[in-house]
Amino acid sequence: MTLETKHKLPALKNKSSKAHEKRRNKFGSSAKERISEAALIETVRYCEKHQDNPLASLALGSLLSGRTSTQLLSAEQKIELTGTGVAKLHGTWNIARTPILANPDMSVIPVEKPGYVLILEDTAARVLELKNQGVDVDECKKDLKSFLAGIRPSTQERVTPDTLSRVLNFQKHLFKLSNFDVSFIANEEKHVFSQNSYACFDAIKLFTKHADYMAQFVDMSLVRMFIETNVPADLCFGSPRVLTRDSVATFFNCIKVKLQWALLNRFDYENIHHWYSIYVINILQLATLHRPCDNIFRTIDKFDFVSKTVEIQDKPEIHTRILPLGERALSEIHEYVNYLEALQEQVRFDSPHVATELKKSLDGRANLFREWNKEGLLEGFSSLPEVFQGDTNNGSNWCRHFMISKLIDRGVNREAVNMFSGHRMLSEHSHEQTKSATFDDLRSVAAELDDIIADCVPMSVKDMANYMRGVSL
Amino acid sequence: MLMDGAKIKKIPLTKIAVHQDARFAFRFTQTLTPQCNISLVRACHTGTWSSMFPIVVKIENVFHVIGGWQGLLFSGEVEDQVFVVVLKNSTNADVRTISMRFAVSMLLSQTQKNKHNGAISELAEHRPELLSGLVFNKSFDTPRSFSYSLAPIDPKSVDTQRARINEERLDCLRSAK
């Protein structure tokens, strides 16, 4: 083997692991690793027959939770027995810290961290017993494999620890469980479907769908009763950084008050520019779900008013993506450009340098959004307060967390939300034919974002160009 | 005296900037809504639509406007080079006074609104050459159309205003009876 080919080996390995991941993420109902319903029924009966054997509970626990035996027995896996016949199987994600908001009138949606799923207490107790015995996880998996080998389904299928843990993934469509729901229930690594950590989502909906899935194997009446009587109606899991709808309204009301004040003091163009820019940038943040990053929108030519799209760059390295814009965002950017033209005319003589710089922005030779302070027009807007970078008061990146949560609440296709927010799955590229969402799906996300903005933003600004020029005759 | 040694100079528009201490007065006058459609007026000998020369002081090769900026305001025609009055000496206090006085003079020269269109119409009636594009960049058919093009209003109101002006002028006759 030459030195050159040796160097190529890791790349080849990488390539095949990606292909493997792609297959794994796109499990079809006909995949050969799937166990048929008949074999599953026989497996459950077999476990019931050997209920004194803790391995039977481990197998059942894996089948119900979608977690592998290794995961269930790991030290990080917290199992909480409630004494009601139902146990909580906790997640192991490291969830972000809850922000401390500066404005007492604002609050985040409370979430329970890191979240849990419900399974039968009997099953969980036996798994816990195994854990407490300090069994070797690998040995236990081998024992489980041998235990499952005792199942002789009439279909001649082989039931293994791995096939059992995959059943949830194969059957998710039957119970309206999304990839993201399954990822949470099975406690997959956080980065696999990271949307779960960006969104705050309803726990009861998830519990109910999960209970529907489990009900095909075991009696779920205790779990359903627990959901009804012990789970608070507003219990949420996921991101602890999601502002309430009223807090977002409060945030924009603060901007409104500042902008009103600036507009009344008609001669302070810098202050008017400051607050109007903050308003427009925040609307665009809500409309594009972008990450906190310097100069996301860059120049005016990145906005395409014909195809109604914008190309944003929201990672420090080159990472651009084209997003559709809703009508609200388009209208705001249109108004802003008109305003800049009017401002350029107004300051032509009183601040010629600013006028020259504005011309550059309007010609696409400089960034469109720029802060204006005593030094003149700056290169960008990263130092503005009340926009994501400097916005520690409201929890940085709050726009993204808030909007993703709202979209999920509204039942928008989560794959499309994933692609829109730049959380592309490792196995997908937006140009692939086999991708989970199309550009039209992204347009429907943009329309939905428009609706959310209309619902949460209690202000709009119109005709700033006329304001700058004075009322026309 | 302030105007001693002042000179009229032709300078490129790109070398004009509003003086820092005159900025408030300038921005204040930008908020005023002109009663007439200034975009109709041609540029004149000053290089702007207004026959008033901007008053400037020269600082480091830039001409800082401190008064008389009427021609630089609004959407009227401005040529690439304009004539300005360059002061020889002025203090910052002078700049503030002159700029504020100019802002005030713009306010003081506003015509009473219920006579404005009548006055425009009367001017055109007595000097019909105004209708044919002597000062403006388009021509007009009648004093009435001239008046409402310049300061939009219900055309009938032009006649009403003219009638009212004439009536007022006849007041002295009526009271003499």
Side-chain angles (χ1 to χ4, degrees), chain A residues 267 269 346 348-350 473, chain B residues 13 17-18 23 27 30 36:
Chain A
F267 318 110
Y269 293 167
Q346 292 299 99
R348 181 179 173 193
F349 296 115
D350 91 25
L473 282 167
Chain B
L13 206 60
V18 173
R23 189 174 285 174
R27 286 185 179 182
Q30 277 185 322
C36 295

Side-chain angles (χ1 to χ4, degrees), chain A residues 266-270 345-352 372 468-473, chain B residues 13 16-18 23-24 26-28 30-31 33-38 72 150 152:
Chain A
R266 174 69 172 77
F267 318 110
D268 191 349
Y269 293 167
E270 292 89 334
E345 285 168 27
Q346 292 299 99
V347 300
R348 181 179 173 193
F349 296 115
D350 91 25
S351 307
W372 181 1
M468 289 313 296
R469 291 191 176 105
V471 182
S472 57
L473 282 167
Chain B
L13 206 60
I16 289 184
V18 173
R23 189 174 285 174
F24 171 79
F26 182 80
R27 286 185 179 182
F28 172 77
Q30 277 185 322
T31 69
T33 308
Q35 292 193 45
C36 295
N37 185 356
I38 290 168
L72 302 176
L150 212 56

